[in-house]
């Protein structure tokens, strides 16, 4: 295959509504529902205990052979076990049913054995619910690896809106992060001649703008807020698929979050950390960081180290090492990163630390 060929893989269908699991077969793409006989569900113990019966009834309406894998460990080793198990059972379809951990394991396994993957999220905390990349841990490190787009996303609003509101707000924070992610991508294009796709960038920015435009609704309601955040996250996922990389959705703010994951005694949620990171990186980009902070405050997302539950010195340290997380990914942090003094000033000037 020629190196300059750009392949875009996108999902076939997104279904958003209420009470979807009992009739799930009718929402699947026709060619898929006709050909599946054996289904492998990757889920978490709590999710399965709470909602598993509904999904099981919906799938067994077609008399499918159903295999359930309950897992709470999103590691490469766990993914390999799922791959081996699914291969041995000649599985036709893998479903990720739950939060980001279950969905990441399922999508990676499906990509390795070249079978379709369906995403059924039970929360809307980040754009991994529909993106073609999986975040898996291995060797003490969290790694983003190429996987596969879901062929279909089934998003039940009742289930997702019943998850802790904290998760939904984290999803809003992950969507807001596209503001600086796209700016970093454009910067890498200008300074390093990196590929930049204006359509993918625009679609990703739409995710952030969607959160900003409807921040009042997100701050007050549940089901409608869930729909808005879901739309933003799915839009971001599509942008990733079009670009063929996480560039439209992940920049310096994500590097900061990954650094916190590495060094914080107790990291906050991914979207909470990227939201705070976006405030600071917006200032470095000379964007309207105060507006970013204002929107995050309005929807109830953390904007300070104290609200994240992370010591201020850890925030500063994370800023100084963030550029080392993915050295190949050029961002506003540059090749050398921030000095301790510059990082402390940035965090203080934006109110992240006091």
């Amino acid at each position: 295959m020629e190196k300059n060929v750009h392949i875009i893989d996108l999902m076939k269908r997104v279904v958003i509504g209420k009470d979807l699991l009992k009739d799930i077969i009718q929402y699947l793409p026709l060619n898929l529902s006709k050909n599946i006989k054996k289904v492998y569900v990757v889920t978490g113990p709590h999710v399965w205990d709470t909602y598993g019966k509904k999904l099981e009834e919906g799938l067994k309406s077609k008399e499918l052979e159903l295999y359930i894998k309950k897992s709470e460990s999103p590691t490469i080793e766990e993914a390999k076990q799922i791959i081996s198990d699914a291969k041995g059972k000649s599985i036709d379809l893998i479903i990720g049913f739950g939060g980001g951990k279950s969905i990441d394991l399922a999508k990676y396994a499906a990509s390795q054995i070249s079978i379709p993957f369906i995403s059924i999220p039970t929360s809307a905390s980040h754009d991994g619910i529909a993106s073609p990349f999986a975040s898996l841990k291995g060797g003490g490190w969290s790694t983003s690896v190429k996987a596969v787009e879901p062929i279909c996303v089934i998003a039940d609003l009742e289930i997702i809106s019943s998850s802790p509101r904290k998760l939904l707000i984290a999803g809003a924070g992950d969507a807001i992060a596209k503001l600086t992610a796209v700016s970093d991508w454009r910067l890498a294009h200008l300074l390093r001649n990196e590929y930049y796709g204006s359509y993918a960038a625009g679609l990703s920015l739409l995710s952030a703008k969607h959160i900003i435009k409807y921040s009042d609704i997100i701050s007050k309601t549940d089901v409608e807020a869930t729909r808005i955040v879901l739309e933003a996250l799915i839009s971001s996922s599509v942008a990733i698929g079009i670009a063929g990389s996480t560039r439209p959705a992940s920049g310096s703010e994500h590097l900061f979050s990954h650094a916190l994951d590495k060094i914080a005694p107790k990291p906050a949620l991914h979207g909470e950390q990227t939201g705070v990171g976006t405030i600071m990186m917006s200032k470095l980009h000379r964007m309207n960081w105060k507006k970013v902070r204002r929107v995050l405050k309005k929807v109830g997302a953390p904007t300070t180290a104290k609200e994240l539950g992370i010591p201020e010195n850890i925030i500063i340290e994370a800023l100084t090492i963030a550029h080392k997380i993915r050295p190949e990914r050029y961002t506003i942090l540059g090749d050398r990163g921030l000095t301790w003094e510059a990082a402390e000033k940035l965090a203080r000037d934006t109110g992240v630390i006091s």
Side-chain angles (χ1 to χ4, degrees):
M1 186 179 294
E2 295 181 24
K3 289 185 178 180
N4 63 349
V5 172
H6 189 149
I7 298 175
I8 298 174
D9 289 317
L10 299 176
M11 65 193 85
K12 290 183 179 294
R13 181 171 294 177
V14 176
V15 184
I16 300 176
K18 297 180 181 179
D19 202 20
L20 301 179
L21 298 188
K22 68 177 183 179
D23 298 314
I24 190 170
I25 295 297
Q26 71 171 311
Y27 300 121
L28 303 183
L30 189 59
N31 64 330
L32 181 63
S33 61
K34 280 183 176 181
N35 298 320
I36 56 172
K37 294 179 181 178
K38 296 182 179 181
V39 178
Y40 195 96
V41 180
V42 182
T43 187
H46 174 71
V47 167
W48 189 254
D49 290 346
T50 308
Y51 303 112
K53 190 170 183 179
K54 285 186 178 181
L55 180 60
E56 193 169 17
E57 288 173 354
L59 290 170
K60 286 195 172 179
S61 65
K62 195 175 181 287
E63 297 181 350
L64 299 169
E65 287 186 49
L66 195 59
Y67 301 91
I68 312 301
K69 171 66 174 178
K70 298 177 186 178
S71 177
E72 291 185 293
S73 178
T75 64
I76 291 174
E77 290 73 23
E78 181 77 355
K80 287 178 179 177
Q81 289 181 15
I82 292 170
I83 291 165
S84 177
D85 195 20
K87 274 185 176 179
K89 291 179 169 62
S90 299
I91 296 298
D92 303 308
L93 172 71
I94 292 184
I95 294 176
F97 180 43
K101 295 176 183 178
S102 297
I103 290 173
D104 281 348
L105 284 168
K107 75 171 74 165
Y108 180 74
S111 72
Q112 296 301 299
I113 52 181
S114 300
I115 62 174
F117 154 66
I118 289 178
S119 173
I120 307 180
T122 55
S123 63
S125 59
H126 57 75
D127 58 17
I129 59 175
S131 80
F133 285 81
S135 181
L136 298 175
K137 295 178 181 177
W141 189 241
S142 181
T143 308
S144 181
V145 293
K146 187 76 169 70
V148 66
E149 285 267 1
I151 195 167
C152 182
V153 177
I154 308 288
D156 190 301
L157 289 173
E158 287 183 322
I159 291 175
I160 297 173
S161 62
S162 68
S163 67
R165 181 167 172 80
K166 184 182 178 76
L167 298 176
L168 185 71
I169 299 310
D174 198 35
I176 283 284
K178 312 322 168 194
L179 294 170
T180 46
V182 169
S183 292
D184 282 324
W185 192 18
R186 189 182 300 114
L187 185 67
H189 172 66
L190 293 172
L191 298 184
R192 298 297 175 86
N193 198 33
E194 186 177 318
Y195 162 76
Y196 176 79
S198 58
Y199 183 82
L203 188 59
S204 190
L205 284 176
L206 185 62
S207 302
K209 292 174 182 177
H210 197 58
I211 298 298
I212 294 168
K213 182 176 181 179
Y214 295 105
S215 56
D216 279 335
I217 295 176
I218 296 171
S219 69
K220 296 172 184 174
T221 63
D222 291 323
V223 175
E224 189 57 28
T226 299
R227 183 186 292 274
I228 290 166
V229 174
L230 267 173
E231 289 171 345
L233 296 176
I234 290 171
S235 173
S236 170
S237 298
V238 173
I240 293 171
I242 292 171
S245 81
T246 59
R247 261 303 196 178
S250 174
S252 50
E253 74 298 319
H254 273 63
L255 298 181
F256 165 72
S257 177
H258 293 321
L260 286 178
D261 290 340
K262 184 178 181 182
I263 65 173
K266 187 179 179 182
L269 292 173
H270 170 76
E272 293 178 327
Q273 294 180 166
T274 57
V276 171
T278 304
I279 297 171
M280 295 186 286
M281 302 309 157
S282 292
K283 182 169 174 52
L284 290 181
H285 275 290
R286 299 186 179 182
M287 297 163 63
N288 190 346
W289 64 269
K290 290 182 180 179
K291 182 178 181 180
V292 174
R293 184 178 64 176
R294 189 163 60 247
V295 170
L296 289 171
K297 277 181 174 289
K298 184 188 291 186
V299 301
T303 59
T304 66
K306 184 177 181 181
E307 290 169 351
L308 285 176
I310 295 175
E312 293 188 348
N313 66 304
I314 298 295
I315 295 289
I316 299 169
E317 184 180 353
L319 285 170
T320 65
I321 67 169
H323 67 291
K324 299 177 182 178
I325 300 298
R326 295 189 64 177
E328 80 286 358
R329 176 151 292 187
Y330 191 82
T331 71
I332 192 68
L333 296 172
D335 295 321
R336 299 174 65 182
L338 302 180
T339 63
W340 184 276
E341 294 74 19
E344 182 177 9
K345 185 177 188 305
L346 175 63
R348 203 176 301 283
D349 287 350
T350 52
V352 173
I353 67 174
S354 56

mmCIF file of all heavy atoms in Angstrom, residues 91-114:
data_model
loop_
_atom_site.group_PDB
_atom_site.id
_atom_site.type_symbol
_atom_site.label_atom_id
_atom_site.label_comp_id
_atom_site.label_asym_id
_atom_site.label_seq_id
_atom_site.Cartn_x
_atom_site.Cartn_y
_atom_site.Cartn_z
ATOM 1 N N ILE A 91 -15.805 -16.505 17.697
ATOM 2 C CA ILE A 91 -16.769 -15.422 17.921
ATOM 3 C C ILE A 91 -16.977 -14.609 16.637
ATOM 4 O O ILE A 91 -16.039 -14.348 15.887
ATOM 5 C CB ILE A 91 -16.273 -14.517 19.068
ATOM 6 C CG1 ILE A 91 -16.218 -15.296 20.386
ATOM 7 C CG2 ILE A 91 -17.139 -13.277 19.201
ATOM 8 C CD1 ILE A 91 -17.540 -15.829 20.875
ATOM 9 N N ASP A 92 -18.225 -14.191 16.398
ATOM 10 C CA ASP A 92 -18.557 -13.382 15.222
ATOM 11 C C ASP A 92 -18.613 -11.886 15.529
ATOM 12 O O ASP A 92 -18.458 -11.053 14.642
ATOM 13 C CB ASP A 92 -19.942 -13.779 14.671
ATOM 14 C CG ASP A 92 -20.027 -15.248 14.315
ATOM 15 O OD1 ASP A 92 -19.149 -15.716 13.570
ATOM 16 O OD2 ASP A 92 -20.962 -15.921 14.782
ATOM 17 N N LEU A 93 -18.865 -11.552 16.805
ATOM 18 C CA LEU A 93 -19.078 -10.149 17.185
ATOM 19 C C LEU A 93 -18.633 -9.936 18.618
ATOM 20 O O LEU A 93 -18.936 -10.757 19.497
ATOM 21 C CB LEU A 93 -20.565 -9.799 17.052
ATOM 22 C CG LEU A 93 -21.017 -8.439 17.588
ATOM 23 C CD1 LEU A 93 -20.491 -7.313 16.705
ATOM 24 C CD2 LEU A 93 -22.541 -8.367 17.675
ATOM 25 N N ILE A 94 -17.914 -8.835 18.853
ATOM 26 C CA ILE A 94 -17.534 -8.459 20.214
ATOM 27 C C ILE A 94 -18.274 -7.181 20.592
ATOM 28 O O ILE A 94 -18.323 -6.222 19.812
ATOM 29 C CB ILE A 94 -16.012 -8.248 20.347
ATOM 30 C CG1 ILE A 94 -15.282 -9.589 20.188
ATOM 31 C CG2 ILE A 94 -15.673 -7.635 21.703
ATOM 32 C CD1 ILE A 94 -13.783 -9.499 20.394
ATOM 33 N N ILE A 95 -18.840 -7.188 21.787
ATOM 34 C CA ILE A 95 -19.534 -6.008 22.315
ATOM 35 C C ILE A 95 -18.791 -5.494 23.531
ATOM 36 O O ILE A 95 -18.464 -6.265 24.441
ATOM 37 C CB ILE A 95 -20.992 -6.344 22.710
ATOM 38 C CG1 ILE A 95 -21.813 -6.709 21.470
ATOM 39 C CG2 ILE A 95 -21.635 -5.170 23.443
ATOM 40 C CD1 ILE A 95 -23.241 -7.148 21.780
ATOM 41 N N GLY A 96 -18.520 -4.200 23.557
ATOM 42 C CA GLY A 96 -18.007 -3.543 24.747
ATOM 43 C C GLY A 96 -19.183 -2.910 25.463
ATOM 44 O O GLY A 96 -19.828 -2.007 24.919
ATOM 45 N N PHE A 97 -19.499 -3.398 26.661
ATOM 46 C CA PHE A 97 -20.695 -2.971 27.389
ATOM 47 C C PHE A 97 -20.276 -2.437 28.753
ATOM 48 O O PHE A 97 -19.940 -3.200 29.656
ATOM 49 C CB PHE A 97 -21.645 -4.162 27.533
ATOM 50 C CG PHE A 97 -22.929 -3.869 28.264
ATOM 51 C CD1 PHE A 97 -23.650 -2.713 28.027
ATOM 52 C CD2 PHE A 97 -23.434 -4.785 29.176
ATOM 53 C CE1 PHE A 97 -24.838 -2.454 28.698
ATOM 54 C CE2 PHE A 97 -24.631 -4.552 29.850
ATOM 55 C CZ PHE A 97 -25.334 -3.379 29.604
ATOM 56 N N GLY A 98 -20.245 -1.109 28.883
ATOM 57 C CA GLY A 98 -19.842 -0.527 30.154
ATOM 58 C C GLY A 98 -19.152 0.807 29.968
ATOM 59 O O GLY A 98 -19.477 1.589 29.069
ATOM 60 N N GLY A 99 -18.168 1.057 30.816
ATOM 61 C CA GLY A 99 -17.396 2.292 30.733
ATOM 62 C C GLY A 99 -16.219 2.145 29.783
ATOM 63 O O GLY A 99 -16.129 1.174 29.011
ATOM 64 N N GLY A 100 -15.284 3.083 29.862
ATOM 65 C CA GLY A 100 -14.159 3.099 28.947
ATOM 66 C C GLY A 100 -13.290 1.855 29.000
ATOM 67 O O GLY A 100 -12.773 1.409 27.972
ATOM 68 N N LYS A 101 -13.138 1.253 30.179
ATOM 69 C CA LYS A 101 -12.269 0.076 30.309
ATOM 70 C C LYS A 101 -12.789 -1.090 29.477
ATOM 71 O O LYS A 101 -12.041 -1.708 28.719
ATOM 72 C CB LYS A 101 -12.175 -0.336 31.788
ATOM 73 C CG LYS A 101 -11.487 0.689 32.684
ATOM 74 C CD LYS A 101 -11.528 0.268 34.135
ATOM 75 C CE LYS A 101 -10.906 1.316 35.033
ATOM 76 N NZ LYS A 101 -10.974 0.944 36.470
ATOM 77 N N SER A 102 -14.065 -1.382 29.628
ATOM 78 C CA SER A 102 -14.650 -2.507 28.892
ATOM 79 C C SER A 102 -14.644 -2.245 27.392
ATOM 80 O O SER A 102 -14.343 -3.140 26.583
ATOM 81 C CB SER A 102 -16.091 -2.748 29.366
ATOM 82 O OG SER A 102 -16.124 -3.113 30.725
ATOM 83 N N ILE A 103 -14.962 -1.034 27.012
ATOM 84 C CA ILE A 103 -15.022 -0.694 25.591
ATOM 85 C C ILE A 103 -13.644 -0.738 24.961
ATOM 86 O O ILE A 103 -13.466 -1.229 23.841
ATOM 87 C CB ILE A 103 -15.699 0.685 25.409
ATOM 88 C CG1 ILE A 103 -17.191 0.556 25.738
ATOM 89 C CG2 ILE A 103 -15.499 1.218 23.989
ATOM 90 C CD1 ILE A 103 -17.941 1.866 25.766
ATOM 91 N N ASP A 104 -12.631 -0.266 25.673
ATOM 92 C CA ASP A 104 -11.262 -0.309 25.144
ATOM 93 C C ASP A 104 -10.776 -1.744 24.956
ATOM 94 O O ASP A 104 -10.144 -2.074 23.954
ATOM 95 C CB ASP A 104 -10.310 0.450 26.067
ATOM 96 C CG ASP A 104 -10.381 1.958 25.875
ATOM 97 O OD1 ASP A 104 -10.992 2.397 24.884
ATOM 98 O OD2 ASP A 104 -9.828 2.693 26.708
ATOM 99 N N LEU A 105 -11.049 -2.595 25.927
ATOM 100 C CA LEU A 105 -10.653 -4.003 25.808
ATOM 101 C C LEU A 105 -11.344 -4.657 24.613
ATOM 102 O O LEU A 105 -10.723 -5.383 23.833
ATOM 103 C CB LEU A 105 -11.014 -4.761 27.091
ATOM 104 C CG LEU A 105 -10.110 -4.544 28.300
ATOM 105 C CD1 LEU A 105 -10.761 -5.116 29.553
ATOM 106 C CD2 LEU A 105 -8.738 -5.174 28.082
ATOM 107 N N ALA A 106 -12.633 -4.381 24.466
ATOM 108 C CA ALA A 106 -13.408 -4.999 23.389
ATOM 109 C C ALA A 106 -12.937 -4.530 22.020
ATOM 110 O O ALA A 106 -12.764 -5.334 21.097
ATOM 111 C CB ALA A 106 -14.895 -4.681 23.584
ATOM 112 N N LYS A 107 -12.723 -3.233 21.879
ATOM 113 C CA LYS A 107 -12.349 -2.709 20.554
ATOM 114 C C LYS A 107 -10.952 -3.185 20.145
ATOM 115 O O LYS A 107 -10.707 -3.477 18.979
ATOM 116 C CB LYS A 107 -12.448 -1.185 20.515
ATOM 117 C CG LYS A 107 -11.365 -0.432 21.223
ATOM 118 C CD LYS A 107 -11.406 1.066 20.947
ATOM 119 C CE LYS A 107 -12.514 1.769 21.648
ATOM 120 N NZ LYS A 107 -12.317 3.244 21.651
ATOM 121 N N TYR A 108 -10.053 -3.279 21.123
ATOM 122 C CA TYR A 108 -8.706 -3.757 20.795
ATOM 123 C C TYR A 108 -8.743 -5.225 20.392
ATOM 124 O O TYR A 108 -8.124 -5.628 19.401
ATOM 125 C CB TYR A 108 -7.767 -3.554 21.979
ATOM 126 C CG TYR A 108 -6.358 -4.032 21.697
ATOM 127 C CD1 TYR A 108 -5.522 -3.288 20.867
ATOM 128 C CD2 TYR A 108 -5.882 -5.226 22.230
ATOM 129 C CE1 TYR A 108 -4.233 -3.728 20.576
ATOM 130 C CE2 TYR A 108 -4.603 -5.668 21.949
ATOM 131 C CZ TYR A 108 -3.781 -4.924 21.128
ATOM 132 O OH TYR A 108 -2.510 -5.365 20.831
ATOM 133 N N ALA A 109 -9.485 -6.029 21.163
ATOM 134 C CA ALA A 109 -9.590 -7.451 20.841
ATOM 135 C C ALA A 109 -10.199 -7.649 19.459
ATOM 136 O O ALA A 109 -9.711 -8.458 18.660
ATOM 137 C CB ALA A 109 -10.428 -8.158 21.907
ATOM 138 N N ALA A 110 -11.253 -6.905 19.159
ATOM 139 C CA ALA A 110 -11.912 -7.024 17.857
ATOM 140 C C ALA A 110 -10.963 -6.667 16.721
ATOM 141 O O ALA A 110 -10.972 -7.301 15.661
ATOM 142 C CB ALA A 110 -13.147 -6.137 17.818
ATOM 143 N N SER A 111 -10.136 -5.662 16.949
ATOM 144 C CA SER A 111 -9.203 -5.224 15.903
ATOM 145 C C SER A 111 -8.149 -6.290 15.621
ATOM 146 O O SER A 111 -7.684 -6.438 14.488
ATOM 147 C CB SER A 111 -8.515 -3.913 16.297
ATOM 148 O OG SER A 111 -7.570 -4.113 17.338
ATOM 149 N N GLN A 112 -7.763 -7.046 16.646
ATOM 150 C CA GLN A 112 -6.710 -8.036 16.493
ATOM 151 C C GLN A 112 -7.178 -9.316 15.811
ATOM 152 O O GLN A 112 -6.377 -10.052 15.240
ATOM 153 C CB GLN A 112 -6.101 -8.373 17.867
ATOM 154 C CG GLN A 112 -5.404 -7.200 18.537
ATOM 155 C CD GLN A 112 -4.269 -6.645 17.690
ATOM 156 O OE1 GLN A 112 -3.309 -7.335 17.384
ATOM 157 N NE2 GLN A 112 -4.380 -5.378 17.285
ATOM 158 N N ILE A 113 -8.474 -9.591 15.875
ATOM 159 C CA ILE A 113 -8.973 -10.804 15.232
ATOM 160 C C ILE A 113 -9.932 -10.474 14.081
ATOM 161 O O ILE A 113 -10.594 -11.360 13.544
ATOM 162 C CB ILE A 113 -9.637 -11.765 16.242
ATOM 163 C CG1 ILE A 113 -10.695 -11.046 17.090
ATOM 164 C CG2 ILE A 113 -8.605 -12.384 17.132
ATOM 165 C CD1 ILE A 113 -11.355 -11.946 18.128
ATOM 166 N N SER A 114 -9.976 -9.201 13.729
ATOM 167 C CA SER A 114 -10.707 -8.744 12.532
ATOM 168 C C SER A 114 -12.170 -9.173 12.509
ATOM 169 O O SER A 114 -12.663 -9.744 11.540
ATOM 170 C CB SER A 114 -10.000 -9.256 11.266
ATOM 171 O OG SER A 114 -8.683 -8.770 11.207
#
